[in-house]
Amino acid sequence: MVFGSRDGSAWIFLLALLCLCDCSASQLTYSISEELNKGTVVGNIAKDLNLNIQDLETRDLRIVSSFSKTYFDVNLRTGNLFVSDRIDREELCPHVDKCSIKIQAALNNPMNVHRIEIHILDVNDNQPCFEEQSHVLNISELLSPGERFPLPVAGDADIGSNAVTSYKLTQNEHFSLDVQSGGEHGVYAELVLQKALDREKQAVIKLVLTAVDGGKPSRSGTLQLIINVLDFNDNTPAFSQSLYKVQVKENADPGTFILRINATDLDAGLNSKILFFLIKTGNLDPSKYFNLNSETGEIHLKEKLDYEETRAYEVRIQAKDQGSSPRRAH
Ligand SMILES: [Ca+2]
Ligand SMILES: [Ca+2]
Ligand SMILES: [Ca+2]
Ligand SMILES: [Ca+2]
């Protein structure tokens, strides 16, 4: 138990007597906003309790509270009950919708105790905020429009319409936002794929999710969304030329460099890693005459050629990516 602003052992006695005295005395109710300046008048208790102003001093009016702070005091010359300490609703009543402070106005001769309940109304003094600054989503370029992805929920220490009421998303061509309310999370949002992604066009998409509260004016908090577009093997290797022509002297030594073939693949990782292979066509096994380095695409002579026997070799080469469902080009 803590007592009004002034001294006293006599007051300990008074509180001990609280239940023995006139507890049926009237009750006053006031409503004020949180975070009012010290000195702000809540109401006039002399008037509201029908007391003479002179009696306040002669009957030694005191404000008594069971809180560790009194928050309020009374001006004995005017009867005004005023705010004497900072009132932060979020600190006083965290996660509670209804918040009030109960105090008592105690008078001597005769001893009276009047109960006063002061409702503390919420002010929009907290902005929505996310637990993290950025959130990463890994989304395959294979997925079809309509796929949904849950997003982190923003908190707001205020209540009711001063808490989060909506979410917004950066304008973009691939995703829309579906904002739902209800359930234990209050208001939450899901990302909805509107247009299929293409990693080869844009591998990372950065968007900003904004949580907005319903205060007037409203406050907001943001979260960066980083969408990594995961590769799907949707590109076939492509040779730099469809036909490579090269002339070799028939007396060239085995090991002589002939040419290097080149192919590229727009995908990523193994989906774009290309290996080359010589292909048998008809009776010709090109690996009898040529060495192909499957990684570099370099072709070297394997054994001496005979112009009189064969004047030209047409060799088919396959380029194959290393995706789990590989794609091939010839
Ligand atoms: Ca508040
Ligand atoms: Ca708020
Ligand atoms: Ca590929
Ligand atoms: Ca791809």
Side-chain angles (χ1 to χ4, degrees):
M1 284 268 176
V2 170
F3 309 93
S5 46
R6 279 168 280 150
D7 68 289
S9 51
W11 285 97
I12 295 172
F13 177 62
L14 166 68
L15 281 176
L17 286 176
L18 278 182
C19 288
L20 301 176
C21 63
D22 181 10
C23 285
S24 63
S26 54
Q27 171 157 355
L28 291 180
T29 306
Y30 298 109
S31 288
I32 59 163
S33 296
E34 60 168 323
E35 305 285 0
L36 291 176
N37 290 332
K38 285 179 195 172
T40 302
V41 174
V42 176
N44 190 290
I45 56 174
K47 186 171 149 240
D48 296 337
L49 291 173
N50 281 324
L51 298 167
N52 283 325
I53 290 284
Q54 296 80 3
D55 284 354
L56 303 185
E57 217 150 352
T58 55
R59 293 181 62 194
D60 204 12
L61 172 71
R62 302 288 178 116
I63 298 297
V64 189
S65 164
S66 57
F67 279 92
S68 58
K69 288 180 185 175
T70 39
Y71 294 108
F72 301 97
D73 208 343
V74 68
N75 181 326
L76 295 181
R77 274 166 295 149
T78 61
N80 280 340
L81 181 72
F82 61 90
V83 176
S84 64
D85 212 334
R86 182 187 169 208
I87 302 170
D88 178 6
R89 194 205 63 85
E90 284 74 46
E91 188 196 339
L92 196 63
C93 315
H95 318 298
V96 176
D97 280 2
K98 286 200 172 130
C99 183
S100 65
I101 298 175
K102 287 176 179 155
I103 57 172
Q104 286 146 348
L107 295 134
N108 285 333
N109 305 317
M111 190 175 282
N112 275 140
V113 175
H114 299 277
R115 285 168 296 167
I116 304 172
E117 185 169 9
I118 299 136
H119 297 294
I120 308 301
L121 305 178
D122 186 35
V123 162
N124 190 20
D125 53 352
N126 290 278
Q127 65 182 58
C129 65
F130 292 93
E131 272 180 18
E132 42 187 5
Q133 283 193 328
S134 63
H135 180 72
V136 176
L137 287 145
N138 295 315
I139 300 178
S140 168
E141 62 174 330
L142 181 63
L143 293 181
S144 306
E147 290 281 343
R148 301 170 86 89
F149 309 90
L151 293 173
V153 172
D156 187 321
D158 300 317
I159 52 162
S161 61
N162 289 334
V164 176
T165 54
S166 182
Y167 289 90
K168 290 188 286 192
L169 182 71
T170 323
Q171 277 279 325
N172 73 101
E173 61 174 326
H174 290 288
F175 296 98
S176 65
L177 201 64
D178 184 22
V179 181
Q180 308 256 353
S181 57
E184 60 178 290
H185 290 309
V187 183
Y188 62 96
E190 283 182 334
L191 210 56
V192 185
L193 187 63
Q194 293 295 332
K195 182 184 166 194
L197 303 169
D198 184 351
R199 193 210 62 87
E200 284 71 61
K201 260 196 196 155
Q202 193 176 6
V204 179
I205 298 173
K206 288 183 177 172
L207 301 173
V208 176
L209 177 69
T210 305
V212 186
D213 69 26
K216 289 190 175 102
S218 71
R219 289 168 170 258
S220 61
T222 59
L223 172 71
Q224 170 141 66
L225 298 178
I226 299 168
I227 297 152
N228 292 322
V229 182
L230 302 183
D231 189 40
F232 175 69
N233 194 13
D234 53 353
N235 286 276
T236 303
F239 283 101
S240 59
Q241 294 169 234
S242 57
L243 181 68
Y244 299 83
K245 270 185 172 177
V246 65
Q247 292 189 328
V248 190
K249 289 210 161 78
E250 65 169 336
N251 61 350
D253 289 328
T256 299
F257 173 76
I258 295 178
L259 86 152
R260 180 176 178 174
I261 51 167
N262 187 38
T264 51
D265 186 309
L266 294 174
D267 296 316
L270 288 177
N271 290 340
S272 72
K273 182 169 168 48
I274 297 168
L275 294 181
F276 298 100
F277 304 95
L278 293 167
I279 305 285
K280 280 187 198 172
T281 42
N283 292 329
L284 175 67
D285 181 1
S287 65
K288 196 174 160 201
Y289 307 101
F290 307 103
N291 267 328
L292 168 62
N293 183 316
S294 65
E295 300 226 2
T296 64
E298 285 179 3
I299 299 173
H300 292 84
L301 201 57
K302 198 167 184 180
E303 62 176 47
K304 281 199 174 175
L305 303 176
D306 183 352
Y307 175 82
E308 281 67 36
E309 191 187 298
T310 309
R311 294 189 182 185
Y313 293 91
E314 196 176 309
V315 178
R316 234 169 117 72
I317 294 171
Q318 182 187 76
K320 178 175 144 190
D321 70 30
Q322 301 300 292
S324 55
S325 299
R327 300 176 79 107
R328 300 170 178 85
H330 296 93

PDB file of all heavy atoms in Angstrom, residues 27-43:
ATOM      1  N   GLN A  27     -18.956   6.461  -5.810  1.00  0.00           N
ATOM      2  CA  GLN A  27     -17.814   6.167  -6.676  1.00  0.00           C
ATOM      3  C   GLN A  27     -17.841   7.106  -7.863  1.00  0.00           C
ATOM      4  O   GLN A  27     -18.883   7.334  -8.466  1.00  0.00           O
ATOM      5  CB  GLN A  27     -17.888   4.717  -7.160  1.00  0.00           C
ATOM      6  CG  GLN A  27     -16.851   4.438  -8.230  1.00  0.00           C
ATOM      7  CD  GLN A  27     -16.510   2.971  -8.349  1.00  0.00           C
ATOM      8  OE1 GLN A  27     -16.978   2.150  -7.572  1.00  0.00           O
ATOM      9  NE2 GLN A  27     -15.688   2.652  -9.320  1.00  0.00           N
ATOM     10  N   LEU A  28     -16.652   7.621  -8.180  1.00  0.00           N
ATOM     11  CA  LEU A  28     -16.525   8.497  -9.345  1.00  0.00           C
ATOM     12  C   LEU A  28     -15.802   7.755 -10.450  1.00  0.00           C
ATOM     13  O   LEU A  28     -14.933   6.926 -10.175  1.00  0.00           O
ATOM     14  CB  LEU A  28     -15.697   9.743  -8.996  1.00  0.00           C
ATOM     15  CG  LEU A  28     -16.315  10.747  -8.038  1.00  0.00           C
ATOM     16  CD1 LEU A  28     -15.337  11.897  -7.835  1.00  0.00           C
ATOM     17  CD2 LEU A  28     -17.633  11.272  -8.593  1.00  0.00           C
ATOM     18  N   THR A  29     -16.188   8.047 -11.662  1.00  0.00           N
ATOM     19  CA  THR A  29     -15.502   7.450 -12.806  1.00  0.00           C
ATOM     20  C   THR A  29     -15.098   8.548 -13.781  1.00  0.00           C
ATOM     21  O   THR A  29     -15.913   9.415 -14.113  1.00  0.00           O
ATOM     22  CB  THR A  29     -16.428   6.459 -13.537  1.00  0.00           C
ATOM     23  OG1 THR A  29     -16.907   5.515 -12.592  1.00  0.00           O
ATOM     24  CG2 THR A  29     -15.682   5.720 -14.628  1.00  0.00           C
ATOM     25  N   TYR A  30     -13.850   8.518 -14.174  1.00  0.00           N
ATOM     26  CA  TYR A  30     -13.358   9.460 -15.187  1.00  0.00           C
ATOM     27  C   TYR A  30     -12.681   8.666 -16.296  1.00  0.00           C
ATOM     28  O   TYR A  30     -12.233   7.541 -16.079  1.00  0.00           O
ATOM     29  CB  TYR A  30     -12.317  10.432 -14.596  1.00  0.00           C
ATOM     30  CG  TYR A  30     -12.842  11.317 -13.489  1.00  0.00           C
ATOM     31  CD1 TYR A  30     -12.441  11.108 -12.169  1.00  0.00           C
ATOM     32  CD2 TYR A  30     -13.707  12.366 -13.765  1.00  0.00           C
ATOM     33  CE1 TYR A  30     -12.900  11.923 -11.148  1.00  0.00           C
ATOM     34  CE2 TYR A  30     -14.177  13.191 -12.742  1.00  0.00           C
ATOM     35  CZ  TYR A  30     -13.777  12.965 -11.433  1.00  0.00           C
ATOM     36  OH  TYR A  30     -14.225  13.768 -10.432  1.00  0.00           O
ATOM     37  N   SER A  31     -12.607   9.269 -17.467  1.00  0.00           N
ATOM     38  CA  SER A  31     -11.837   8.674 -18.569  1.00  0.00           C
ATOM     39  C   SER A  31     -10.841   9.695 -19.069  1.00  0.00           C
ATOM     40  O   SER A  31     -11.210  10.841 -19.351  1.00  0.00           O
ATOM     41  CB  SER A  31     -12.772   8.297 -19.731  1.00  0.00           C
ATOM     42  OG  SER A  31     -13.543   7.172 -19.373  1.00  0.00           O
ATOM     43  N   ILE A  32      -9.613   9.282 -19.158  1.00  0.00           N
ATOM     44  CA  ILE A  32      -8.586  10.188 -19.705  1.00  0.00           C
ATOM     45  C   ILE A  32      -7.700   9.395 -20.665  1.00  0.00           C
ATOM     46  O   ILE A  32      -7.626   8.171 -20.605  1.00  0.00           O
ATOM     47  CB  ILE A  32      -7.683  10.799 -18.597  1.00  0.00           C
ATOM     48  CG1 ILE A  32      -6.964   9.685 -17.808  1.00  0.00           C
ATOM     49  CG2 ILE A  32      -8.483  11.700 -17.676  1.00  0.00           C
ATOM     50  CD1 ILE A  32      -5.786  10.190 -17.002  1.00  0.00           C
ATOM     51  N   SER A  33      -7.008  10.116 -21.523  1.00  0.00           N
ATOM     52  CA  SER A  33      -6.038   9.476 -22.410  1.00  0.00           C
ATOM     53  C   SER A  33      -4.756   9.214 -21.646  1.00  0.00           C
ATOM     54  O   SER A  33      -4.445   9.918 -20.687  1.00  0.00           O
ATOM     55  CB  SER A  33      -5.710  10.397 -23.586  1.00  0.00           C
ATOM     56  OG  SER A  33      -6.858  10.597 -24.360  1.00  0.00           O
ATOM     57  N   GLU A  34      -4.034   8.197 -22.100  1.00  0.00           N
ATOM     58  CA  GLU A  34      -2.686   7.982 -21.552  1.00  0.00           C
ATOM     59  C   GLU A  34      -1.774   9.125 -21.978  1.00  0.00           C
ATOM     60  O   GLU A  34      -2.131   9.934 -22.832  1.00  0.00           O
ATOM     61  CB  GLU A  34      -2.134   6.651 -22.091  1.00  0.00           C
ATOM     62  CG  GLU A  34      -2.021   6.623 -23.624  1.00  0.00           C
ATOM     63  CD  GLU A  34      -1.226   5.439 -24.143  1.00  0.00           C
ATOM     64  OE1 GLU A  34      -0.246   5.049 -23.500  1.00  0.00           O
ATOM     65  OE2 GLU A  34      -1.603   4.912 -25.206  1.00  0.00           O
ATOM     66  N   GLU A  35      -0.616   9.213 -21.352  1.00  0.00           N
ATOM     67  CA  GLU A  35       0.451  10.134 -21.745  1.00  0.00           C
ATOM     68  C   GLU A  35       0.047  11.610 -21.679  1.00  0.00           C
ATOM     69  O   GLU A  35       0.532  12.423 -22.442  1.00  0.00           O
ATOM     70  CB  GLU A  35       0.973   9.822 -23.159  1.00  0.00           C
ATOM     71  CG  GLU A  35       1.452   8.383 -23.364  1.00  0.00           C
ATOM     72  CD  GLU A  35       2.795   8.076 -22.720  1.00  0.00           C
ATOM     73  OE1 GLU A  35       3.388   8.982 -22.085  1.00  0.00           O
ATOM     74  OE2 GLU A  35       3.237   6.913 -22.828  1.00  0.00           O
ATOM     75  N   LEU A  36      -0.856  11.956 -20.753  1.00  0.00           N
ATOM     76  CA  LEU A  36      -1.186  13.378 -20.597  1.00  0.00           C
ATOM     77  C   LEU A  36      -0.063  14.065 -19.820  1.00  0.00           C
ATOM     78  O   LEU A  36       0.638  13.437 -19.025  1.00  0.00           O
ATOM     79  CB  LEU A  36      -2.504  13.539 -19.836  1.00  0.00           C
ATOM     80  CG  LEU A  36      -3.766  13.100 -20.583  1.00  0.00           C
ATOM     81  CD1 LEU A  36      -4.983  13.229 -19.659  1.00  0.00           C
ATOM     82  CD2 LEU A  36      -3.976  13.928 -21.851  1.00  0.00           C
ATOM     83  N   ASN A  37       0.071  15.370 -20.027  1.00  0.00           N
ATOM     84  CA  ASN A  37       1.092  16.119 -19.296  1.00  0.00           C
ATOM     85  C   ASN A  37       0.774  16.126 -17.811  1.00  0.00           C
ATOM     86  O   ASN A  37      -0.406  16.134 -17.419  1.00  0.00           O
ATOM     87  CB  ASN A  37       1.142  17.569 -19.788  1.00  0.00           C
ATOM     88  CG  ASN A  37       1.699  17.637 -21.195  1.00  0.00           C
ATOM     89  OD1 ASN A  37       2.492  16.789 -21.600  1.00  0.00           O
ATOM     90  ND2 ASN A  37       1.266  18.640 -21.943  1.00  0.00           N
ATOM     91  N   LYS A  38       1.828  16.161 -17.001  1.00  0.00           N
ATOM     92  CA  LYS A  38       1.622  16.287 -15.558  1.00  0.00           C
ATOM     93  C   LYS A  38       0.892  17.607 -15.300  1.00  0.00           C
ATOM     94  O   LYS A  38       1.203  18.619 -15.927  1.00  0.00           O
ATOM     95  CB  LYS A  38       2.972  16.299 -14.828  1.00  0.00           C
ATOM     96  CG  LYS A  38       3.598  14.926 -14.770  1.00  0.00           C
ATOM     97  CD  LYS A  38       4.939  14.970 -14.063  1.00  0.00           C
ATOM     98  CE  LYS A  38       5.688  13.678 -14.339  1.00  0.00           C
ATOM     99  NZ  LYS A  38       7.070  13.730 -13.854  1.00  0.00           N
ATOM    100  N   GLY A  39      -0.062  17.572 -14.404  1.00  0.00           N
ATOM    101  CA  GLY A  39      -0.828  18.785 -14.097  1.00  0.00           C
ATOM    102  C   GLY A  39      -2.157  18.829 -14.821  1.00  0.00           C
ATOM    103  O   GLY A  39      -3.023  19.629 -14.476  1.00  0.00           O
ATOM    104  N   THR A  40      -2.331  17.946 -15.839  1.00  0.00           N
ATOM    105  CA  THR A  40      -3.602  17.944 -16.572  1.00  0.00           C
ATOM    106  C   THR A  40      -4.738  17.575 -15.612  1.00  0.00           C
ATOM    107  O   THR A  40      -4.640  16.605 -14.854  1.00  0.00           O
ATOM    108  CB  THR A  40      -3.560  16.920 -17.720  1.00  0.00           C
ATOM    109  OG1 THR A  40      -2.475  17.247 -18.576  1.00  0.00           O
ATOM    110  CG2 THR A  40      -4.864  16.933 -18.516  1.00  0.00           C
ATOM    111  N   VAL A  41      -5.813  18.394 -15.643  1.00  0.00           N
ATOM    112  CA  VAL A  41      -6.931  18.166 -14.723  1.00  0.00           C
ATOM    113  C   VAL A  41      -7.822  17.039 -15.251  1.00  0.00           C
ATOM    114  O   VAL A  41      -8.201  17.023 -16.415  1.00  0.00           O
ATOM    115  CB  VAL A  41      -7.738  19.467 -14.553  1.00  0.00           C
ATOM    116  CG1 VAL A  41      -8.992  19.212 -13.709  1.00  0.00           C
ATOM    117  CG2 VAL A  41      -6.871  20.541 -13.900  1.00  0.00           C
ATOM    118  N   VAL A  42      -8.112  16.104 -14.347  1.00  0.00           N
ATOM    119  CA  VAL A  42      -8.956  14.953 -14.703  1.00  0.00           C
ATOM    120  C   VAL A  42     -10.425  15.306 -14.427  1.00  0.00           C
ATOM    121  O   VAL A  42     -11.322  14.971 -15.197  1.00  0.00           O
ATOM    122  CB  VAL A  42      -8.537  13.726 -13.869  1.00  0.00           C
ATOM    123  CG1 VAL A  42      -9.452  12.540 -14.142  1.00  0.00           C
ATOM    124  CG2 VAL A  42      -7.082  13.368 -14.142  1.00  0.00           C
ATOM    125  N   GLY A  43     -10.674  15.986 -13.334  1.00  0.00           N
ATOM    126  CA  GLY A  43     -12.031  16.371 -12.959  1.00  0.00           C
ATOM    127  C   GLY A  43     -11.984  17.090 -11.623  1.00  0.00           C
ATOM    128  O   GLY A  43     -10.921  17.155 -10.984  1.00  0.00           O
TER     129      GLY A  43
END
